[in-house]
Amino acid sequence: MSLTEEINVRAVTAGVPLVAHLDITYRCNERCVHCYLDHDDGGEMTFAEIDRVLGEMAEAGVFQLTISGGEPLLRKDCFPILRRARDLGFNVKFKTNGILIGEGEAAALRDLCLDSVQISIYSHRADVHDGITKVKGSLERSLAAARFLVSQGLRVKFANVLMRDNANDYPHVQALAEEIGAGFTLDPTITPHLNGDRSLLNLGINREALNKVMRDERLVGNVGEFCAPPAAVGDDELNSFPCSAGHSACYISPYGDFYPCVQFPLPCGNVRRESFGDIWRGSPQLAEVRSVKVRDLPVCSTCVHAGSCTRCPGLAYMEGNFRGPSSADCAKSFARTGIESAAMRQRS
């Protein structure tokens, strides 16, 4: 067990929300074709509200805090929010598209001593990247920001979401990251819109492309072990929790809505009406999420992949039942091993 895994186990045992994700706005200066958010301002929390919530998070034991959006730099108080988070001792990860970052912003981010800055890069080709973001010149501006941030000593990571339009571009994006001195992560999963609209899934890569990704040796550590046969499923796997969402991690929207995870939009409360700690400790919805172990999943507990699947309960929830299978994760397990999941066998 790695140190990170050990810390997470201890956090779950102690009931500590070790990791939190806070989106401070859904507004954005890009219009990415695959985005699952509504970009209108539905009444964002004020700085005073966010300040209070950050204090409550710190009191509850949150250590790692991701601040994102939308594009968080569209908020004029983004830097005061980041400063408050750092003053409270959070290890802060910052997600941005980078196109609003100039020398002044980069210097300010450097002085905050952030853990890392993640920037979405969809392709090395401007026409493809800009076609996804719907903003002409966005690739050039995002890369310029990444280069300057790295020059200032910040840890930068490229996030590459795979779609049909950029399915073959990830090796070049990975090479760009290496050239600049940035990290690289790859995500082959398209998330349904938070309003339940699943039409975004049509943008996802096909089975052939997914097989290629899941068996690419250069991506070990980014999308998991490739061609690895599933390990035997024992009591340890069956008695484990499906995911850290709601156990040691949580998500808060710009409007104060509290969810187990950004990809698990099960309403559990609102920090405008209740304190963060009261929701974390007393939400019936969170209690239900925490009560479920792998052996309680009717289909997945019978699956040969039960001990190795990356099953996301949030994606399963958006398919209708968070105790059910996630078709996207079934597809990844199949692509990785060539062995159908229990859910795939039931459907065939």
Side-chain angles (χ1 to χ4, degrees):
M1 182 184 295
S2 69
L3 178 59
T4 300
E5 291 171 331
E6 182 179 348
I7 291 172
N8 190 64
V9 168
R10 292 188 180 188
V12 171
T13 302
V16 174
L18 187 67
V19 178
H21 180 148
L22 171 64
D23 280 343
I24 60 176
T25 184
Y26 283 161
R27 290 176 289 136
C28 194
N29 47 5
E30 294 183 334
R31 285 295 180 270
C32 296
V33 295
H34 64 292
C35 187
Y36 52 85
L37 301 174
D38 287 318
H39 294 306
D40 294 331
D41 182 357
E44 298 165 358
M45 287 190 288
T46 65
F47 177 82
E49 289 175 311
I50 292 175
D51 182 32
R52 173 181 57 78
V53 172
L54 290 174
E56 293 169 353
M57 284 181 172
E59 185 177 355
V62 172
F63 170 67
Q64 182 177 298
L65 176 64
T66 296
I67 292 180
S68 182
E71 173 47 55
L73 287 170
L74 286 177
R75 280 193 66 135
K76 294 180 179 180
D77 55 3
C78 180
F79 283 104
I81 291 170
L82 289 169
R83 169 49 60 196
R84 179 59 176 152
R86 291 294 295 124
D87 287 345
L88 286 166
F90 295 117
N91 180 59
V92 177
K93 298 177 183 288
F94 186 59
K95 294 185 177 183
T96 173
N97 57 40
I99 64 178
L100 292 178
I101 295 177
E103 293 188 10
E105 290 78 14
L109 291 170
R110 176 200 60 208
D111 293 343
L112 286 165
C113 298
L114 303 179
D115 174 272
S116 58
V117 178
Q118 178 178 296
I119 297 177
S120 294
I121 302 292
Y122 301 111
S123 174
H124 64 298
R125 297 178 290 162
D127 60 324
V128 175
H129 177 95
D130 295 358
I132 290 172
T133 66
K134 300 300 181 184
V135 175
K136 186 175 177 58
S138 58
L139 176 62
E140 180 181 357
R141 294 165 68 181
S142 292
L143 289 177
R147 289 189 175 95
F148 196 75
L149 289 169
V150 170
S151 76
Q152 296 298 295
L154 280 89
R155 292 174 57 197
V156 175
K157 183 177 291 186
F158 286 0
N160 185 200
V161 178
L162 285 191
M163 290 162 268
R164 293 181 184 273
D165 288 347
N166 68 344
N168 296 314
D169 291 357
Y170 69 85
H172 304 282
V173 177
Q174 188 174 23
L176 260 179
E178 292 173 358
E179 173 194 326
I180 290 173
F184 173 79
T185 61
L186 183 69
D187 188 354
T189 304
I190 299 295
T191 300
H193 199 283
L194 287 180
N195 65 12
D197 182 2
R198 299 180 60 79
S199 63
L200 292 179
L201 301 184
N202 295 326
L203 299 169
I205 58 177
N206 59 29
R207 177 174 289 186
E208 180 182 355
L210 182 60
N211 287 342
K212 177 183 175 183
V213 169
M214 298 304 290
R215 299 172 185 233
D216 189 333
E217 295 186 40
R218 294 167 297 181
L219 300 176
V220 172
N222 291 308
V223 295
E225 296 180 4
F226 63 99
C227 298
V233 180
D235 285 341
D236 286 347
E237 287 78 21
L238 291 174
N239 288 322
S240 66
F241 297 115
C243 176
S244 62
H247 293 276
S248 61
C250 61
Y251 166 70
I252 297 176
S253 81
Y255 315 122
D257 297 312
F258 193 117
Y259 302 119
C261 172
V262 66
Q263 288 195 152
F264 193 170
L266 171 68
C268 298
N270 188 288
V271 294
R272 282 175 153 165
R273 298 188 293 270
E274 305 171 75
S275 73
F276 177 92
D278 285 347
I279 297 172
W280 180 258
R281 292 185 296 268
S283 165
Q285 294 83 7
L286 285 177
E288 183 181 9
V289 169
R290 292 168 186 156
S291 72
V292 178
K293 296 183 178 180
V294 172
R295 68 168 60 254
D296 300 316
L297 305 175
V299 176
C300 298
S301 62
T302 68
C303 184
V304 68
H305 297 291
S308 59
C309 182
T310 58
R311 175 188 173 275
C312 172
L315 292 177
Y317 172 78
M318 286 189 273
E319 288 188 37
N321 179 9
F322 75 76
R323 288 180 173 82
S326 157
S327 57
D329 291 306
C330 289
K332 283 188 280 188
S333 290
F334 179 66
R336 190 168 57 244
T337 65
I339 300 173
E340 287 189 336
S341 68
M344 294 171 76
R345 290 198 304 273
Q346 283 188 1
R347 289 194 293 267
S348 62

